[in-house]
């Protein structure tokens, strides 16, 4: 069993930055794909970014991003610390949501699919004021 705990959320002004962290328990963290999802009120949960456990190949990138956050968000992982990060820059009001960390053993083509993940954090609120 893997437990995921998010931290780093809060209130930020538009144009500001936040870094979310997700600490994972378990010795097999380095072998999991990790993703960040978000859900705003009245909207469906969407994938923001994901990072594969491997370095990628000619067929797939080790990271994926939603079009709405490309160039502003960066996902990274530190396997020695069992932690995945989401650096969010130039935040916009539409980035406000509850952000969830997720992990699991899934193929690269499923990195953006919430149903493919096995483990989820409890979620953390990010509020962006205009």
């Amino acid at each position: 069993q893997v437990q995921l705990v998010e931290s780093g959320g809060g209130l930020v002004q538009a144009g500001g930055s936040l870094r979310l962290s997700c600490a994972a328990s378990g010795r097999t963290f380095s072998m999991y794909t990790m993703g960040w999802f978000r859900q705003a009120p009245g909207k469906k949960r969407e994938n923001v970014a994901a990072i594969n456990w491997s370095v990628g190949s000619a067929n797939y990138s080790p990271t994926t991003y939603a079009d709405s956050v490309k160039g502003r968000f960066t996902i990274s992982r530190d396997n020695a610390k069992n932690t995945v990060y989401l650096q969010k820059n130039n935040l916009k009001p539409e980035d406000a949501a509850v952000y969830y960390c997720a992990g699991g053993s899934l193929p690269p083509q499923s990195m953006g699919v919430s149903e493919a993940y096995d483990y989820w954090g409890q979620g953390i609120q990010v509020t962006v004021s205009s």
Side-chain angles (χ1 to χ4, degrees), residues 20-43:
L20 301 183
S21 300
C22 174
S25 63
R27 294 178 293 177
T28 57
F29 171 82
S30 62
M31 299 298 291
Y32 287 146
T33 292
M34 301 299 296
W36 286 99
F37 292 76
R38 67 185 180 188
Q39 188 167 19
K43 296 187 177 181

Side-chain angles (χ1 to χ4, degrees), residues 38-97:
R38 67 185 180 188
Q39 188 167 19
K43 296 187 177 181
K44 62 184 293 186
R45 187 173 298 186
E46 64 171 345
N47 177 242
V48 174
I51 185 166
N52 195 267
W53 64 272
S54 72
V55 297
S57 73
N59 297 318
Y60 70 91
S61 169
T63 58
T64 63
Y65 295 94
D67 288 342
S68 60
V69 307
K70 282 181 181 177
R72 300 188 298 121
F73 290 10
T74 302
I75 189 170
S76 62
R77 66 191 300 161
D78 185 337
N79 289 337
K81 296 182 178 180
N82 275 14
T83 301
V84 62
Y85 304 98
L86 185 67
Q87 177 66 43
K88 306 188 294 179
N89 299 327
N90 190 22
L91 282 160
K92 304 176 180 181
E94 52 265 39
D95 293 319

Side-chain angles (χ1 to χ4, degrees), residues 100-120:
Y100 298 89
C101 173
S105 300
L106 52 146
Q109 61 268 29
S110 297
M111 290 169 65
V113 180
S114 61
E115 291 82 1
Y117 288 81
D118 302 307
Y119 307 105
W120 290 84

